Amino acid sequence: MLKNKDLLGLKNVPKEEIQLILEVADEMKKIVRSPHKKSPYFVGKSMATLFYENSTRTKSSFEFACSYMGGVFSSLNVATSSVNKGESILDTLKTIDSFGTDVIVIRHSMSGVPHVYAPHVKAHVINAGDGTNEHPTQALLDMLTLKQNFDSFDGLQVAILGDIKHSRVARSNIWGLSKMGATIKIFGPETLLPTGIEKMPNVKMCKSVKEAVKGADAVMGLRLQLERMTKGLIPSMGEFNKKFGVDEDMLSLANKNAILLHPGPVNRNVELSYDVVDCNQSAINEQVTNGVAVRMAVMYLLTRDNKIRSEI
Ligand code: CP
């Protein structure tokens, strides 16, 4: 059971709720891995996705999560929808809500869109990424991956590298990981560091990739979000890769059992070298599997009023 009607970000989600989501997700992962992939946790319920921005992982994993729990879903294709006839976000959401939808998953390029419109619909709203603000289920799946690899979050060092300025993933991870007791080591080009990042909780600013990676338990590369850059903020992809990219030599400076994370999509040979993406320490594919489990857990917990974990 979660306190709020919606999941819009991790900034205001208490540590206990994050722990609960991760524990339920661990159970849900057994269903994802099972040969039948059937469970009753969303039977009689419905989900709709409304993505104003492109997606492979997030949108599909919500759809799989819904199916694995016995629910029904509809994914609106914004490009061919009445949005193109001028229908507003509010009217589109109200229309989807009126179908009797239990959960609406929304992604939009403008920060704050889910927060503005969630109070206007009965459905539980999940933020699947709003501009540069938050992407809570991505951070939860990152945290689930860490939980499965380490005994505790306490004292864990997570290096986040690259385009921090445009990264809703970085922001949600900082909010979530700091609550769990981890330290977040940040490094990126000065032009791609947002104002005030150093004041966020448990953040340690670093001066080089080497400094950030050395002693880290997890290294997270971030995609250069060229679609959000209004002007050239880096000299070139090649230059960026040389100074800010991670390869196997760099990763070897991290702790012995360190894992490599990336939210995807990866630009090979830009933020990560081609080979490091598939190295033994890479947890990138596991993150994708965990994405389904986390989204199952979130949808289940948001739509259950009085259910307890022991039912799973
Ligand atoms: N990590 C992530 O949000 O990926 P997609 O853009 O493919 O959904």
Side-chain angles (χ1 to χ4, degrees), residues 51 53-61 107 128 135 138 141 168-169 223 262-265 295:
F51 277 56
E53 274 192 339
N54 296 344
S55 168
T56 297
R57 280 146 285 270
T58 312
K59 183 166 166 289
S60 299
S61 62
R107 170 175 286 189
H135 189 352
Q138 176 66 46
L141 75 87
R168 50 203 182 200
V169 175
R223 184 176 67 86
H262 192 296
R295 282 146 189 153

Side-chain angles (χ1 to χ4, degrees), residues 57-58 135 138 141-142 167 169-170 173 220-223 225 261-266 284 287-288:
R57 280 146 285 270
T58 312
H135 189 352
Q138 176 66 46
L141 75 87
D142 296 336
S167 180
V169 175
N173 264 295
M220 183 187 295
L222 296 175
R223 184 176 67 86
Q225 305 213 6
L261 301 170
H262 192 296
V266 178
I284 295 171
Q287 284 175 272
V288 176

Side-chain angles (χ1 to χ4, degrees), residues 272-285:
L272 300 181
S273 72
Y274 196 95
D275 292 336
V276 86
V277 176
D278 307 304
C279 75
N280 288 339
Q281 287 165 276
S282 172
I284 295 171
N285 292 331

